[in-house]
C-alpha cells in the first residue's frame, strides 16, 4: 500500500508492468530493470516514447519484439537531444541579449530601457503596459539576485544599465521585449543579423517556445514545435518533408549564430550525429524532421 511520503510499493509496479505486457504486448528483458525504469519515469511518460514502435495496423499494441528497455533507450536519447538543444538555445539567447543591449544602449543610453517612450505604446485594452510588466519582472529578479548574493533583504536598489539588466531577462521575456521595440529598432536589429525583422521576430517566438518545451521536459524527438518558425526559401526546401519539427529550429539557430564554422556549432552538429548514430536501430532522424542530408544543411555557411 502506498502511504503519504513513501514510494509506491512493488505491487504497484507489478500492476503497471502487467498492463504493459498483457494489454499492450510490451516485452520485458529483465524484471528488475523494468522495476527500476518505472521508478525513474511514469508509465504515461514512457508510453510517449513508444509511439514510433506501435503496430501501424493496431495503434493500441506494440510491434513484435519491442521491450520496455527499448522505450527507456528512446527516453534517454530524447534527454540527450533536449540537452543538445538547450545548449544551442543558450548561445542564441546570449547572442540576442548582446545584440539587443548594444542596439538600445547606443540609441537611448544605458538607462533608456526604463523609459516607456522608447518602446511601442500599449494597446487600448491593456491595463498595464507590456513595458511596465517587463521592467517590473526584471527589477524583481535583480533584487532577488542581490538579496541572495549579499544575504540581505533590500526592497530597493538603484537602477542598473541595460547591459546588466538584460542578463536577468528570460528567453520568453526577451522575446516580449523585442515585440514592443519600435518598428525601426526591430529593423535595425534584424539588419545586424542580415535578415528581415519579420523573420527575426518569428524565430525568437519559436525558440522561446522551444526553450519552454525543454525546461518542462517535453518530448522533442517526434513532437512538432509549439510555434513553427517562418523559414527562408532555402530552409523551406531543407525541411519540406517534415515542416514545423525540431530540425527547423536548428536551421534558424544556425542562422542566428551567424556562422556554421565556429567550434561551438561544429560540436553541436557532432553531438547530434553521435546521438542519432548510437540509436539508429530505434530512432530515425526524420522523427525530429531531420532529412537524410541534415548534416550538410546544418554545416553549410548560412551566408552562401
Amino acid at each position: 500500500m502506498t502511504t503519504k511520503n513513501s514510494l509506491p510499493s512493488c505491487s504497484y509496479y507489478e500492476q503497471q508492468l502487467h498492463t504493459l505486457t498483457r494489454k499492450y504486448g510490451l516485452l520485458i528483458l529483465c524484471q528488475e530493470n523494468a522495476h527500476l525504469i518505472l521508478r525513474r519515469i511514469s508509465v504515461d511518460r514512457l508510453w510517449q516514447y513508444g509511439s514510433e514502435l506501435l503496430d501501424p495496423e493496431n495503434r493500441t499494441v506494440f510491434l513484435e519484439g519491442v521491450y520496455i528497455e527499448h522505450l527507456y533507450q528512446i527516453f534517454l536519447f530524447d534527454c540527450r537531444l533536449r540537452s543538445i538543444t538547450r545548449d544551442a538555445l543558450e548561445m542564441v539567447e546570449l547572442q540576442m541579449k548582446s545584440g539587443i543591449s548594444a542596439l538600445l544602449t547606443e540609441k537611448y543610453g544605458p538607462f533608456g530601457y526604463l523609459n516607456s517612450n522608447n518602446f511601442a505604446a500599449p494597446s487600448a485594452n491593456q491595463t498595464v503596459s507590456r513595458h511596465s510588466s517587463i521592467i517590473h519582472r526584471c527589477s524583481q529578479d535583480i533584487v532577488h539576485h542581490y538579496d541572495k548574493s549579499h544575504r540581505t533583504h533590500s526592497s530597493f536598489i538603484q537602477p542598473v544599465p541595460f547591459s546588466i539588466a538584460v542578463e536577468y531577462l528570460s528567453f520568453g521575456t526577451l522575446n516580449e521585449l523585442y515585440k514592443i521595440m519600435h518598428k525601426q529598432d526591430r529593423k535595425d536589429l534584424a539588419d545586424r543579423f542580415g535578415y528581415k525583422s519579420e523573420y527575426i521576430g518569428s524565430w525568437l517566438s519559436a525558440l522561446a517556445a522551444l526553450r519552454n518545451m525543454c525546461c518542462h521536459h517535453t518530448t522533442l524527438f517526434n513532437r512538432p514545435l509549439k510555434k513553427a518558425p517562418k523559414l527562408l526559401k532555402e530552409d523551406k526546401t531543407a525541411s519540406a518533408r517534415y515542416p514545423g519539427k525540431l530540425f527547423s529550429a536548428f536551421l534558424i539557430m544556425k542562422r542566428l549564430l551567424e556562422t556554421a564554422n565556429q567550434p561551438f556549432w561544429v560540436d553541436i552538429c557532432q553531438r547530434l550525429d553521435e546521438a542519432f548514430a548510437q540509436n539508429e536501430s530505434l530512432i530515425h532522424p526524420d522523427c525530429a524532421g531531420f532529412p537524410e542530408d541534415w548534416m550538410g544543411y546544418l554545416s553549410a555557411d548560412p551566408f552562401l
Side-chain angles (χ1 to χ4, degrees):
M1 181 173 122
T2 303
T3 59
K4 189 176 180 181
N5 300 325
S6 69
L7 291 172
S9 65
C10 288
S11 61
Y12 170 83
Y13 297 117
E14 288 291 348
Q15 291 171 6
Q16 296 294 308
L17 290 175
H18 183 272
T19 300
L20 288 172
T21 54
R22 297 298 178 87
K23 187 175 180 180
Y24 302 116
L26 192 66
L27 301 176
I28 296 174
L29 189 64
C30 173
Q31 195 79 9
E32 185 177 354
N33 283 345
H35 275 257
L36 288 174
I37 289 170
L38 293 185
R39 286 181 183 274
R40 289 171 182 151
I41 57 175
S42 69
V43 170
D44 290 332
R45 176 169 285 272
L46 191 66
W47 179 266
Q48 297 175 25
Y49 298 100
S51 61
E52 303 298 322
L53 301 177
L54 293 173
D55 188 331
E57 296 183 0
N58 182 2
R59 300 289 292 175
T60 63
V61 296
F62 289 98
L63 292 166
E64 290 186 12
V66 176
Y67 289 81
I68 190 173
E69 287 82 1
H70 290 147
L71 273 59
Y72 188 62
Q73 184 180 338
I74 297 173
F75 160 75
L76 294 177
F77 163 79
D78 195 60
C79 290
R80 190 174 177 182
L81 185 62
R82 196 158 45 244
S83 176
I84 297 169
T85 303
R86 275 198 305 264
D87 287 346
L89 284 167
E90 181 179 287
M91 290 303 294
V92 172
E93 179 181 352
L94 293 174
Q95 184 155 309
M96 292 305 301
K97 284 181 176 180
S98 177
I100 292 176
S101 174
L103 178 83
L104 296 184
T105 300
E106 286 174 10
K107 192 162 185 178
Y108 304 112
F111 298 98
Y113 73 101
L114 296 170
N115 188 345
S116 61
N117 292 327
N118 295 329
F119 297 88
S123 60
N125 61 351
Q126 285 181 300
T127 54
V128 178
S129 74
R130 294 167 75 182
H131 173 265
S132 297
S133 176
I134 291 170
I135 296 302
H136 176 72
R137 273 178 281 162
C138 181
S139 299
Q140 291 293 103
D141 288 342
I142 292 173
V143 169
H144 176 73
H145 177 77
Y146 180 89
D147 291 345
K148 189 174 181 180
S149 299
H150 295 81
R151 296 183 179 180
T152 184
H153 178 73
S154 59
S155 58
F156 175 79
I157 60 173
Q158 292 294 324
V160 298
F162 188 54
S163 58
I164 296 176
V166 73
E167 296 302 326
Y168 291 88
L169 300 181
S170 67
F171 206 144
T173 305
L174 189 71
N175 177 44
E176 289 182 43
L177 183 69
Y178 175 83
K179 289 179 180 178
I180 65 169
M181 287 166 57
H182 287 304
K183 184 177 180 179
Q184 185 58 49
D185 292 342
R186 295 198 305 271
K187 183 181 183 303
D188 290 344
L189 179 70
D191 288 344
R192 297 188 180 201
F193 285 93
Y195 302 103
K196 293 180 179 180
S197 59
E198 62 187 276
Y199 287 103
I200 298 297
S202 172
W203 296 351
L204 276 178
S205 292
L207 295 179
L210 177 58
R211 178 64 180 269
N212 283 339
M213 290 176 71
C214 290
C215 291
H216 291 91
H217 313 291
T218 304
T219 306
L220 286 188
F221 82 100
N222 64 349
R223 288 279 186 91
L225 299 177
K226 288 189 176 180
K227 289 189 178 181
K230 182 181 179 67
L231 297 178
L232 299 175
K233 184 177 180 180
E234 51 269 41
D235 289 342
K236 284 183 180 178
T237 302
S239 62
R241 189 176 176 188
Y242 307 101
K245 285 203 168 184
L246 186 62
F247 179 65
S248 60
F250 276 90
L251 284 172
I252 62 176
M253 285 193 284
K254 180 192 77 169
R255 293 195 175 279
L256 288 172
L257 290 171
E258 301 182 89
T259 175
N261 298 319
Q262 57 178 303
F264 168 79
W265 189 252
V266 171
D267 178 63
I268 288 290
C269 291
Q270 289 176 345
R271 289 166 63 191
L272 283 170
D273 191 40
E274 290 172 2
F276 284 127
Q278 292 172 10
N279 294 275
E280 61 182 353
S281 62
L282 292 173
I283 297 292
H284 193 278
D286 64 14
C287 287
F290 285 66
E292 290 292 339
D293 188 28
W294 67 266
M295 179 64 85
Y297 288 113
L298 293 188
S299 60
D301 192 312
F303 295 111
L304 291 181

